[in-house]
Amino acid sequence: MSHKLLVFLIGLLLVSALGSYVYYRRAVARVPVDPWSLVPDDAVFVVATRDHATLVRHLKETQLWDNLTAVRYFQQVEEHVGLVDSITGTPNVVLRFLGTKKVLTSVHVTGARTFDVLFQVPIGSVREYRQVRTLVDGLSRNPRYQVSTREYQGEQLTDIRERDTDNAITFFNYRNHLVMSASTALVEAVVQRLQHPSLPSVAADFQSTDFLQLKDVDATLLINYRRLPRFLSVFFRPEVEPGIATVTSLARNGQFEMKLAGNKVVFNGFANPETARDALQQRLRLQPTQRLRMAEVLSLRTAVLVHLGLGPVQVLRPARPASADVLEQQNGPLLDSLAAGLREEAALCYLATPSARIRPAKLALVYCPNPLRAATLLGQLRRQNGASPAFERVGPYQIYQTGVPELPAHLLGPMFRGFALPAVAQVGNYLAFGEEAADLRLWLTDVAAGEVWSRSPTQVAFLQETQPLARMRVLIDTRNSWNVLLRGLVEERRAGLLRNETLFQRFPQVALQFVPPVNEAEPGAQYFTQLVLRHPAIGPAVAKPQSANGTGGALAFKTPLTSAPTLVPVTGARVPGVLVQDNQQVLHYVTPDNVVAWSDSLPGPLVGKVNRLTVGPAPGYLFATPGQLHLLDESGRERPDFP
């Protein structure tokens, strides 16, 4: 080969390499990575966060932080964060690394009784890339860990394994975008997805919505309702799954914004209606929304309530097959007549139980505008099926046997199965069916005594914060539902629930609601959805509108304030917090979001000013009362090591 030809080929190679580099920088590297496109299709939940310092601050101000750090999973995360800090020699390095990056956390079912989490964190600079490499190098030199790399479909995966426990994490860097998980299969699923870039992402239905651009949004949550039953089957016993599948078949997926504020966590968003043929959505589509009027007959023992707002309940009933049994054909005309008189509200209600070993009372409640006609038809059904005319009296109410197995399912559709030999009672305009007479006896005892939601200030305040009109509501009282949940869980999950009791009962009032749009018949119409987690407001101050038109907000303290407010700068917040004392010597901390985060009783009035300490591993508040110095931590607790 001549020298000229060799020089020409080398030059051609250099030009090709330079062209490839320029093409990569201009056509590939400049195109930002869409993290949603990397999430495997089987994700059940995807949480997106951005301002992590503010998120942590809000978690602390709503007193959720202490509950989260008591959960074993978060304790493991905290241990890993501490390890990173020790290797890098810099405190809070992880929180600063996350900063305001858009981080995605997705949850996936990876086995019959297991689920795993996938994290995506972008790398924003060469310095941050070096931090990651320094961390990996530090772990490789630590005898507790084994670090190895391997190739998988053109990507280099790094496995970090703890030798003693065999716990491991796998990650890889895709265009300065870290993808990591304790499940190797999840990371490999991301690599497999890279081979098919044209596939729609899990958020394809919400591409035009970015809740993180809105003010005061702490995170966004994407839910795949179609995969939710399988995820819940990881925790619950098989007999619970059909009911869960029915309730979740109103929508196929949805996206929420999350806001942490005071005594509640609010998720607002939208959901796409389910399109499957046998879904609950197909029966409720275009039905009118209704108010929850049955609060007057809901016992304070109610643990879980699934409430449907609709027109006639006949839309819930499937067509009677030609091969129906003799009993169903015999009762058909009476069942049709009785169902024709039921409308507007139908609900499944589970009552609290004193022990997880005891079956919870289960009721089916439905509104009937003509209770006299309904009572007459029920009497005819009893006589036709040979049921005893005897009844049991509870206060002014009577309990009868129906004589028709699974009568609620015949009247209200398959969602109301599970009443083998039901009993029935009437309270005003409501029919109530129980699995047994004892279930109705328990419920009627509370109704007769006036122990109902409509007479409870706590429950009334809760209902006032929910949507007035909705198609479906799922309302949970976690204090009442504790034993109900324990009974429904698989055996190996009960210990985990008991360990996390404080987190679960932090918000005893939970409401999930679906409100259809006005233009429901148009293509692309979505449900407005709201999830509220709330604990009753029992603090020292009441929030009120600052102006007549409801704009702005002010706190009205129940006891007069005696000290001048002390401004407390808060990292990441535009407005400072405030410390103030009332005439009962109680010191209150008001967050930048105008919420009383904590209150602490003092032995006397404040002397001088409050000093905010920002140095050292644990910031706090230093101040004096007559004859004593105090140092409180950021949660308002006295520091045990002071003075």
Side-chain angles (χ1 to χ4, degrees):
M1 181 183 297
S2 67
H3 290 289
K4 290 183 178 181
L5 180 58
L6 181 60
V7 171
F8 174 76
L9 291 176
I10 293 174
L12 182 61
L13 180 62
L14 291 174
V15 171
S16 300
L18 179 61
S20 300
Y21 174 77
V22 172
Y23 170 77
Y24 175 81
R25 290 296 303 271
R26 292 185 175 274
V28 179
R30 285 193 175 184
V31 177
V33 176
D34 179 12
W36 295 100
S37 66
L38 303 183
V39 179
D41 293 333
D42 61 354
V44 185
F45 305 104
V46 185
V47 179
T49 54
R50 176 162 287 171
D51 188 347
H52 298 88
T54 301
L55 174 61
V56 170
R57 176 171 64 84
H58 284 173
L59 288 171
K60 290 180 178 179
E61 290 172 353
T62 53
Q63 301 177 24
L64 259 176
W65 186 256
D66 291 340
N67 297 106
L68 288 175
T69 54
V71 177
R72 175 176 293 182
Y73 175 79
F74 288 97
Q75 288 175 346
Q76 293 174 348
V77 172
E78 197 171 31
E79 291 174 2
H80 296 328
V81 170
L83 176 65
V84 172
D85 288 349
S86 66
I87 291 176
T88 58
T90 306
N92 298 323
V93 66
V94 173
L95 188 60
R96 285 200 296 269
F97 183 86
L98 295 178
T100 56
K101 295 182 174 70
K102 186 175 182 179
V103 176
L104 261 60
T105 304
S106 54
V107 179
H108 308 256
V109 178
T110 53
R113 295 295 179 191
T114 59
F115 69 94
D116 283 288
V117 180
L118 179 75
F119 300 96
Q120 296 186 50
V121 183
I123 300 175
S125 65
V126 174
R127 177 177 173 273
E128 291 181 349
Y129 177 78
R130 288 174 179 168
Q131 283 181 321
V132 174
R133 293 310 312 167
T134 300
L135 175 62
V136 174
D137 292 341
L139 291 174
S140 64
R141 292 190 296 269
N142 191 319
R144 289 177 51 194
Y145 297 92
Q146 178 184 354
V147 179
S148 60
T149 59
R150 57 189 173 91
E151 290 287 329
Y152 182 79
Q153 296 190 8
E155 298 291 341
Q156 180 175 286
L157 306 188
T158 301
D159 298 309
I160 302 175
R161 185 173 304 277
E162 193 172 9
R163 298 180 188 273
D164 294 338
T165 63
D166 209 34
N167 292 332
I169 187 169
T170 301
F171 75 91
F172 77 103
N173 182 359
Y174 174 68
R175 290 169 53 189
N176 293 328
H177 197 83
L178 284 180
V179 179
M180 66 189 81
S181 175
S183 169
T184 301
L186 279 182
V187 177
E188 292 176 351
V190 176
V191 178
Q192 294 168 11
R193 188 173 177 81
L194 293 175
Q195 312 302 318
H196 307 280
S198 60
L199 289 176
S201 74
V202 294
D205 293 333
F206 304 97
Q207 285 185 342
S208 60
T209 305
D210 187 1
F211 288 124
L212 289 177
Q213 299 296 329
L214 302 179
K215 182 182 178 182
D216 298 330
V217 174
D218 293 296
T220 68
L221 172 65
L222 184 77
I223 298 182
N224 188 331
Y225 291 103
R226 289 177 173 174
R227 297 189 180 274
L228 191 56
R230 188 185 173 203
F231 173 76
L232 294 177
S233 70
V234 173
F235 305 91
F236 290 96
R237 296 159 66 179
E239 55 265 32
V240 182
E241 295 176 23
I244 293 175
T246 300
V247 171
T248 57
S249 65
L250 197 67
R252 66 178 188 271
N253 58 9
Q255 189 176 44
F256 294 93
E257 63 175 20
M258 183 188 80
K259 293 184 178 182
L260 295 161
N263 65 325
K264 61 186 176 182
V265 181
V266 180
F267 296 82
N268 289 322
F270 301 93
N272 292 303
E274 179 56 87
T275 55
R277 184 181 61 182
D278 296 328
L280 182 63
Q281 162 65 14
Q282 303 310 314
R283 300 189 181 281
L284 293 179
R285 185 174 181 271
L286 301 180
Q287 290 297 305
T289 57
Q290 304 291 348
R291 296 182 180 275
L292 194 151
R293 292 196 299 250
M294 62 172 59
E296 62 190 29
V297 297
L298 290 177
S299 165
L300 292 181
R301 301 177 200 255
T302 299
V304 180
L305 180 77
V306 181
H307 179 271
L308 301 179
L310 68 171
V313 301
Q314 289 175 312
V315 298
L316 297 172
R317 305 175 68 204
R320 187 180 301 115
S323 59
D325 57 39
V326 175
L327 184 63
E328 190 171 354
Q329 291 179 355
Q330 172 187 331
N331 294 322
L334 280 176
L335 292 175
D336 293 342
S337 298
L338 182 57
L342 307 177
R343 57 188 307 107
E344 296 184 16
E345 290 183 286
L348 274 175
C349 179
Y350 295 85
L351 302 184
T353 177
S355 169
R357 297 185 180 91
I358 301 175
R359 176 190 61 81
K362 176 182 175 182
L363 307 176
L365 299 169
V366 61
Y367 179 79
C368 55
N370 190 338
L372 181 60
R373 183 171 184 273
T376 302
L377 292 172
L378 284 171
Q380 294 176 11
L381 267 177
R382 284 195 298 273
R383 290 191 293 272
Q384 185 166 284
N385 290 275
S388 171
F391 62 86
E392 177 183 349
R393 184 178 294 277
V394 179
Y397 310 112
Q398 300 168 357
I399 302 174
Y400 290 91
Q401 293 297 322
T402 62
V404 181
E406 295 290 354
L407 179 57
H410 290 304
L411 297 175
L412 307 173
M415 180 176 171
F416 292 82
R417 289 195 185 106
F419 296 81
L421 295 172
V424 64
Q426 280 188 264
V427 176
N429 287 92
Y430 289 94
L431 287 181
F433 300 92
E435 289 187 87
E436 298 176 0
D439 298 344
L440 290 175
R441 190 184 310 122
L442 184 67
W443 170 67
L444 288 173
T445 300
D446 290 341
V447 174
E451 299 290 327
V452 293
W453 280 18
S454 61
R455 297 190 180 185
S456 167
T458 300
Q459 293 301 116
V460 170
F462 175 46
L463 294 177
Q464 288 175 344
E465 294 197 19
T466 61
Q467 295 298 311
L469 297 171
R471 173 162 294 166
M472 185 174 76
R473 300 173 178 88
V474 180
L475 305 177
I476 301 174
D477 187 317
T478 60
R479 293 163 298 192
N480 289 340
S481 63
W482 184 250
N483 288 323
V484 178
L485 280 178
L486 280 176
R487 181 179 177 84
L489 289 177
V490 294
E491 191 68 34
E492 56 267 29
R493 292 290 177 179
R494 292 182 181 179
L497 182 64
L498 290 171
R499 282 195 304 269
N500 303 330
E501 181 177 2
T502 55
L503 174 62
F504 186 81
Q505 296 193 352
R506 169 63 184 155
F507 295 101
Q509 298 172 320
V510 180
L512 173 63
Q513 302 150 97
F514 292 82
V515 181
V518 177
N519 59 337
E520 186 178 6
E522 298 181 7
Q526 295 178 313
Y527 280 102
F528 170 75
T529 53
Q530 184 181 70
L531 173 63
V532 179
L533 290 78
R534 178 184 182 272
H535 63 81
I538 55 176
V542 177
K544 296 181 178 180
Q546 194 171 13
S547 58
N549 60 4
T551 59
L555 284 179
F557 281 83
K558 299 175 183 178
T559 54
L561 302 179
T562 57
S563 72
T566 300
L567 300 183
V568 179
V570 177
T571 304
R574 296 186 299 271
V575 180
V578 175
L579 282 169
V580 67
Q581 190 180 37
D582 62 25
N583 64 3
Q584 295 183 357
Q585 318 304 339
V586 178
L587 184 67
H588 308 283
Y589 173 62
V590 183
T591 72
D593 300 305
N594 213 29
V595 173
V596 179
W598 54 260
S599 301
D600 186 68
S601 297
L602 301 179
L606 291 174
V607 177
K609 65 177 184 177
V610 179
N611 296 284
R612 166 118 170 123
L613 302 182
T614 57
V615 297
Y621 306 97
L622 178 66
F623 56 89
T625 57
Q628 188 174 352
L629 280 174
H630 303 267
L631 180 59
L632 305 185
D633 63 19
E634 291 189 312
S635 298
R637 296 184 292 260
E638 292 275 0
R639 290 280 296 272
D641 54 349
F642 183 85

